[in-house]
């Protein structure tokens, strides 16, 4: 399936428009090499004071690790992400010494997510972020210490055909649009109002 064209108001690298988050995957496996490659990209994300608070957990489809991560998704996500080639959970370190709070842990982990998403795209894979996680269950199942916070999960794989999805998901299987720059960018100070996406 090819993505419908997205357009930008200013010329940008095509990867930013081409990357999107499909839910349909083919059965083609994702290799450990590919997962470690996307995580290598994530490793090079910037972070406050270079604290690198991100920590990653992955499982390849067909392994017990995948099944464990899958069981930590909410049923809606489990329904389609079970066909992904791999799952990644992103956690972040909230404090390194028990006292000093790392206030940008989530922001930095988000940067690592974008890096891995774009690296997946450049490998010909697709990556789909998920916050629909059983956040209460995940720390115990993954054996997390108290200062490691689950941020989000990612389904990665080879893009499949929308027809493989449940009916209600097929119409949503298309690249989304964005708010115009004029709604989100302000020269110096805030003007107007907060506009929500349609
Ligand atoms: C942090 C985060 C959480 C998300 N959670 C979910 C989710 O639980 N389930 C889902 O189907 N999509 C989820 N998404 C995908 C978003 O809906 C999607 O990125 C957004 O609509 C923009 O579309 P695009 O990624 O195709 O450009 C999530 C994305 C992000 C970044």
């Amino acid at each position: 399936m090819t993505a419908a064209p997205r357009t930008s108001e200013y010329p940008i690298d095509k990867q930013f428009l081409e990357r999107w988050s499909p839910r349909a995957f083919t059965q083609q496996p994702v290799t450990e090499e590919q997962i470690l490659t996307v995580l290598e990209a994530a490793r090079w994300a910037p972070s406050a004071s270079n604290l690198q608070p991100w920590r990653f957990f992955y499982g390849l489809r067909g392994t017990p690790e995948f099944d464990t991560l899958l069981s930590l998704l909410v049923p809606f996500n489990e329904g389609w992400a079970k066909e992904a080639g791999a799952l990644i959970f992103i956690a972040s370190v909230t404090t390194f010494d028990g006292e000093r709070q790392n206030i940008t842990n989530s922001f930095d982990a988000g940067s690592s997510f974008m890096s891995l998403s774009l690296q997946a795209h450049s490998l010909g894979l697709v990556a789909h972020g998920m916050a629909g996680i059983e956040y209460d269950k995940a720390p115990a199942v993954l054996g997390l210490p108290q200062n490691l916070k689950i941020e989000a999960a990612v389904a990665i794989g080879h893009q499949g055909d929308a027809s493989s999805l449940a009916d209600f998901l097929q119409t949503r299987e298309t690249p989304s649009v964005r708010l115009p720059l004029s709604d989100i960018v302000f020269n110096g100070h805030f003007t107007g109002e907060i506009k929500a996406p349609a």
Side-chain angles (χ1 to χ4, degrees), residues 2-44:
T2 49
R6 286 168 159 179
T7 56
S8 61
E9 297 174 37
Y10 290 83
I12 55 174
D13 192 283
K14 61 183 172 40
Q15 66 181 326
F16 297 108
L17 296 173
E18 287 177 356
R19 181 222 59 85
W20 67 289
S21 307
R23 296 187 178 88
F25 297 98
T26 70
Q27 289 301 303
Q28 191 179 344
V30 167
T31 65
E32 188 164 49
E33 176 94 10
Q34 288 172 315
I35 290 304
L36 294 178
T37 302
V38 303
L39 294 177
E40 175 69 39
R43 183 161 79 98
W44 289 99

Side-chain angles (χ1 to χ4, degrees), residues 15 17 21 29 32-33 42 48 69 93 104-105 108 154 156 161 163 169 171 173 179 192:
Q15 66 181 326
L17 296 173
S21 307
E32 188 164 49
E33 176 94 10
L69 296 178
V93 181
T104 61
N105 55 300
D108 297 340
V154 192
I156 296 202
D161 196 274
S163 61
L169 286 178
T171 50
E173 192 72 347
L179 292 168

Side-chain angles (χ1 to χ4, degrees), residues 114-141:
M114 191 56 176
S115 293
L116 82 80
S117 298
L118 292 174
Q119 183 62 43
H121 173 70
S122 87
L123 292 177
L125 299 170
V126 292
H128 192 133
M130 293 172 283
I133 296 172
E134 308 273 13
Y135 284 99
D136 293 348
K137 273 171 57 182
V141 172

